Amino acid sequence: DAGITQSPRHKVTETGTPVTLRCHQTENHRYMYWYRQDPGHGLRLIHYSYGVKDTDKGEVSDGYSVSRSKTEDFLLTLESATSSQTSVYFCAISGTTDTQYFGPGTRLTVL
Amino acid sequence: AQSVTQLGSHVSVSEGALVLLRCNYSSSVPPYLFWYVQYPNQGLQLLLKYTSAATLVKGINGFEAEFKKSETSFHLTKPSAHMSDAAEYFCAVSPDNAGNMLTFGGGTRLMVKP
């Protein structure tokens, strides 16, 4: 298995609070991604990174920000969580000629 | 722009029966196509990928998929379903063979009856 961990694995929070999810890799891969998974929608790309401090928006980036200060870590922040951001969040990584490998996911509930 | 449509959000088969999960895509560039599987409470795992080397692609666990350009399809099949195949399956398309910008379909949940 690719070395990807996500923390926390489960989180319950209240509307309006900030939340940060962490993705950590040990593969030294260049690309890192954050997706959200919702029933009927498959996975949708939130943000991705193609290097340290290099990030770009995906399909559903509104309400989310990211940071990548080290190759191994990619953080996803919800500045002010809303109930519509209740979802399962997946991190993925890939090299320049490799397939995306996914982390185990974080289940976030916003009350 | 690229998109993926998976016909049937739920498919039920009997153990030993043929599995057919449908995927149609649209892409403005030659597509690279992927099938991923997700077992309960786990992340996604790559089953197979099409990168133009051969139209019939064999993957893990006995699955295969055939790329048909004329039908813009990449259906996933397995000759004989096993109980352990019960999972959710996602088709995805990318503009490059590294799968760096995946667009996913909505997923198909496969149920296998004994």
Side-chain angles (χ1 to χ4, degrees), chain B residues 52-89:
Chain B
S52 77
T55 57
L56 183 62
V57 183
K58 294 187 183 299
I60 62 172
N61 301 338
F63 284 93
E64 62 183 35
E66 186 172 10
F67 172 68
K68 292 187 176 180
K69 184 177 180 180
S70 61
E71 299 178 7
T72 61
S73 69
F74 190 58
H75 302 330
L76 182 71
T77 60
K78 182 175 181 178
S80 177
H82 192 273
M83 296 297 291
S84 61
D85 294 327
E88 189 154 22
Y89 293 80

Side-chain angles (χ1 to χ4, degrees), chain A residues 9 31 33 35 37 40-43 45 48 90 94-100 102-104 107, chain B residues 34 36 38 41-46 49 88 90 97-107:
Chain A
R9 294 292 313 279
Y31 293 90
Y33 311 81
Y35 292 91
Q37 182 180 26
H41 291 279
L43 277 76
L45 183 65
Y48 67 99
F90 286 97
S94 68
T96 55
T97 59
D98 213 346
T99 307
Q100 285 192 29
F102 286 80
R107 184 173 297 275
Chain B
F34 303 77
Y36 282 84
Q38 185 181 32
N41 299 313
Q42 295 186 25
L44 277 70
Q45 177 184 356
L46 181 68
K49 63 180 179 180
E88 189 154 22
F90 293 94
N97 66 355
N100 281 326
M101 293 300 297
L102 288 172
T103 299
F104 285 88

Side-chain angles (χ1 to χ4, degrees), chain A residues 2 5 7-8 14 16 22 24 35 45-46 48 52 55 60 71-72 75-76 85-87 91 99 101-102 107 111:
Chain A
T5 57
S7 59
E14 294 188 350
R22 180 180 183 239
H24 179 79
Y35 292 91
L45 183 65
I46 304 171
Y48 67 99
V52 173
T55 65
V60 290
T71 299
E72 57 266 35
L75 303 181
L76 176 70
Q85 294 176 311
T86 292
S87 187
C91 175
T99 307
Y101 297 94
F102 286 80
R107 184 173 297 275
L111 301 176

Side-chain angles (χ1 to χ4, degrees), chain A residues 18-94:
Chain A
V19 176
T20 296
L21 309 182
R22 180 180 183 239
C23 177
H24 179 79
Q25 62 148 327
T26 58
E27 305 295 322
N28 200 35
H29 279 346
R30 177 183 177 188
Y31 293 90
M32 298 186 75
Y33 311 81
W34 277 108
Y35 292 91
R36 60 177 290 171
Q37 182 180 26
D38 304 289
H41 291 279
L43 277 76
R44 292 178 292 176
L45 183 65
I46 304 171
H47 280 281
Y48 67 99
S49 170
Y50 45 95
V52 173
K53 299 191 188 305
D54 292 324
T55 65
D56 206 347
K57 296 179 180 180
E59 177 187 357
V60 290
S61 60
D62 287 349
Y64 302 94
S65 62
V66 291
S67 66
R68 192 171 179 196
S69 58
K70 298 184 290 185
T71 299
E72 57 266 35
D73 289 326
F74 192 33
L75 303 181
L76 176 70
T77 298
L78 291 65
E79 300 290 349
S80 178
T82 68
S83 59
S84 64
Q85 294 176 311
T86 292
S87 187
V88 181
Y89 291 85
F90 286 97
C91 175
I93 65 174
S94 68

Side-chain angles (χ1 to χ4, degrees), chain B residues 6-39:
Chain B
Q6 292 183 240
L7 296 177
S9 59
H10 292 80
V11 169
S12 181
V13 301
S14 297
E15 191 172 20
L18 171 72
V19 175
L20 170 60
L21 305 182
R22 299 177 187 274
C23 172
N24 288 88
Y25 69 91
S26 67
S27 178
S28 57
V29 297
Y32 296 93
L33 296 157
F34 303 77
W35 275 100
Y36 282 84
V37 60
Q38 185 181 32
Y39 298 103

